Amino acid sequence: NAEYMGGSTTHFVFPMAPTQGQFWVSALANFHVQYNFQSITIVLLMMKHIFPRENWEETVLTSVVFAGAITGQLSFGYVGDVLGRNRAMTLTNLFTLLGALGSAILSWGNSSSVYAIIIACRFFMGVGVGGVYPLSATKTAEETISHDPVVRAKRVASAFFWQTPGTMGPYLVALIFVGLTQDESIRFRFVLGLGAIPAFICFLATFGRPENTEFQKAVADSGTASQNMRHKVYWYALIGTGGSWLLYDICYYGTALFATKILKKILGDDDKITEVCWHGLVSNAMGIPGVLATIAVYRYFGTKRLQIFGFLLTAVAYVALAIVFAVDDDQHVWLFIIYCFLIFTLNFGPNVTTFLLPQETFPTEVRSTFNGFSAALAKVGAVIGTVVYGSLADAIGLPVTLFICAGVSVAGAVVTWFFVSTTPIEHPVSSIRSKLLPSP
């Protein structure tokens, strides 16, 4: 059997190709995850003239979804191993549906009331989108007919691909409504509320659907989820799957703070909604080739090597951008070229492989739970990147901060090298403990 880290001769699968099981549900769920994450960025710009806000309110509005996501990843990952993938997926999409819809239709009153309602709804929605992470990866892998691990990995990566178009969705919707109406209250409500539609479709598609055969067999052959979680080897493996994902998200979400500053330097300083939307569409579109390239070359590298290579390539991009900013930040052409390269590298390799690793590493009995733990660690990294890097750039300058990002990327490669196994964990654990634990 081919190892799960690569070596298969399977063909490239374009992310829209027909697949077994409910691939489209996982793809659509991944789309609405990033749509709902990103929507607040353009919404806050739409709202600033009609609902003035304090700085602390803006900070909470942008970060509360991460607190909800961590809660959802920890809870719904476990629910997926207890109740089943489809039952948990139904519940998590219901949370997303109600949160997105509530933020659009319940946010009335003065500024303080409106923002308080949106904050509460976005936490609720965050619980839902957080649960999608472990459940969509687990569901896609287990509903793939082929047991070839490389085929499974590429299937999961193809579902994950739709997160990138999802990041572009709010900006495209905002552009459309800028042309349809001048009422900013209507604009922002539609941008928030439309995130409920794909969640509702996923809710209907999974409601009452029977569980896949692999999960049913695992439930029959093993103990309870809480009993299976006690094996120490799973927690050791979490250092690799969750630790590398945490370091990646520090860089990814930290860079999102610099994106506006970098694009304004390159394309001009304009806070008009149309300009911000085009900036958002352009910068996020650069990630599409990175994800597609990862899927295309996966069979040649495999997960571990591709993740290490991707982290190191991202470090190179950070260093190059830092040097140009430090030497002459008026070199707009070079800034744009290197920035495009950075966005490509951020979406190539670890962006996909960190999503793949948990479903490849952990056995069916605890796959959803430890996938959720890994994703929760990633969102802790997102919070660190969002909160720390902005202040850091103001204090020590953007070039030095970019060098620090390069160092974090190298740390991601090191964690991957030492803590990511080249063999998936099997059940029972005792038979393979020596494969993951270091020699005495």
Side-chain angles (χ1 to χ4, degrees):
N1 293 331
E3 287 188 344
Y4 85 110
M5 305 310 294
S8 172
T9 57
T10 54
H11 298 291
F12 171 71
V13 180
F14 187 71
M16 290 185 66
T19 60
Q20 304 98 334
Q22 282 191 311
F23 168 84
W24 68 271
V25 173
S26 295
L28 186 60
N30 277 287
F31 176 90
H32 81 62
V33 162
Q34 285 301 327
Y35 179 97
N36 286 302
F37 266 133
Q38 290 288 329
S39 60
I40 196 65
T41 303
I42 192 65
V43 162
L44 290 179
L45 181 60
M46 291 175 167
M47 296 178 70
K48 71 176 184 178
H49 297 302
I50 55 176
F51 295 109
R53 58 182 175 267
E54 302 291 336
N55 288 337
W56 71 267
E57 289 177 312
E58 183 159 348
T59 300
V60 175
L61 284 161
T62 54
S63 60
V64 69
V65 69
F66 294 122
I70 292 170
T71 303
Q73 287 158 343
L74 292 174
S75 57
F76 278 109
Y78 180 73
V79 171
D81 282 331
V82 175
L83 297 182
R85 290 35 168 149
N86 286 316
R87 292 187 183 93
M89 193 72 143
T90 300
L91 289 173
T92 198
N93 278 291
L94 180 61
F95 270 70
T96 305
L97 161 66
L98 295 177
L101 204 57
S103 64
I105 65 177
L106 299 179
S107 51
W108 298 94
N110 57 31
S111 295
S112 297
S113 299
V114 166
Y115 288 128
I117 291 169
I118 293 177
I119 287 170
C121 289
R122 282 190 66 80
F123 175 83
F124 197 78
M125 183 204 69
V127 174
V129 297
V132 168
Y133 275 84
L135 295 169
S136 64
T138 302
K139 176 179 167 65
T140 303
E142 293 175 358
E143 290 186 355
T144 301
I145 293 176
S146 173
H147 289 286
D148 184 333
V150 178
V151 173
R152 280 191 166 203
K154 294 178 74 171
R155 191 79 72 198
V156 175
S158 295
F160 175 80
F161 164 85
W162 292 99
Q163 285 202 16
T164 305
T167 62
M168 302 168 64
Y171 299 106
L172 183 59
V173 171
L175 276 177
I176 293 171
F177 279 93
V178 165
L180 291 178
T181 178
Q182 296 301 311
D183 190 332
E184 291 177 322
S185 179
I186 293 177
R187 291 175 181 173
F188 90 77
R189 294 180 197 283
F190 267 98
V191 173
L192 289 174
L194 287 176
I197 294 178
F200 180 60
I201 295 172
C202 293
F203 169 81
L204 292 178
T206 55
F207 184 80
R209 183 178 173 86
E211 298 301 327
N212 65 76
T213 304
E214 182 176 333
F215 172 75
Q216 292 180 13
K217 185 177 185 300
V219 170
D221 294 345
S222 64
T224 64
S226 59
Q227 290 174 330
N228 289 320
M229 286 171 56
R230 297 172 186 172
H231 297 298
K232 293 181 180 179
V233 69
Y234 298 147
W235 299 95
Y236 181 84
L238 183 63
I239 299 174
T241 61
S244 61
W245 205 347
L246 180 148
L247 292 168
Y248 170 76
D249 270 21
I250 289 176
C251 293
Y252 183 86
Y253 286 93
T255 302
L257 293 177
F258 312 142
T260 301
K261 182 182 294 187
I262 294 171
L263 285 171
K264 283 183 177 181
K265 188 69 179 179
I266 297 170
L267 303 175
D269 188 356
D270 196 336
D271 280 334
K272 291 181 179 179
I273 291 176
T274 52
E275 295 300 318
V276 173
C277 288
W278 280 114
H279 288 180
L281 286 170
V282 169
S283 60
N284 286 298
M286 295 172 192
I288 292 178
V291 179
L292 291 176
T294 302
I295 299 172
V297 304
Y298 179 84
R299 68 189 178 97
Y300 300 108
F301 288 88
T303 307
K304 182 172 182 175
R305 285 177 293 175
L306 193 56
Q307 183 158 301
I308 292 171
F309 178 71
F311 268 126
L312 295 178
L313 195 63
T314 301
V316 170
Y318 276 126
V319 169
L321 191 60
I323 290 173
V324 174
F325 258 105
V327 173
D328 186 359
D329 62 2
D330 287 325
Q331 294 290 329
H332 293 177
V333 174
W334 278 109
L335 280 176
F336 185 71
I337 291 173
I338 298 173
Y339 176 72
C340 290
F341 177 61
L342 174 62
I343 298 302
F344 173 87
T345 62
L346 279 170
N347 286 272
F348 174 81
N351 183 41
V352 180
T353 56
T354 52
F355 189 79
L356 295 177
L357 269 177
Q359 66 84 23
E360 292 178 333
T361 302
F362 300 103
T364 309
E365 294 79 8
V366 294
R367 182 174 291 141
S368 181
T369 298
F370 279 89
N371 203 317
F373 290 166
S374 301
L377 283 171
K379 286 300 167 277
V380 171
V383 172
I384 294 172
T386 302
V387 173
V388 173
Y389 275 5
S391 302
L392 202 61
D394 292 336
I396 62 178
L398 186 56
V400 177
T401 306
L402 291 170
F403 277 118
I404 292 174
C405 289
V408 174
S409 297
V410 172
V414 172
V415 169
T416 303
W417 177 269
F418 285 105
F419 295 104
V420 171
S421 173
T422 56
T423 306
I425 302 174
E426 299 173 358
H427 194 80
V429 177
S430 57
S431 65
I432 50 80
R433 185 181 300 274
S434 61
K435 296 179 182 179
L436 284 179
L437 295 178
S439 300

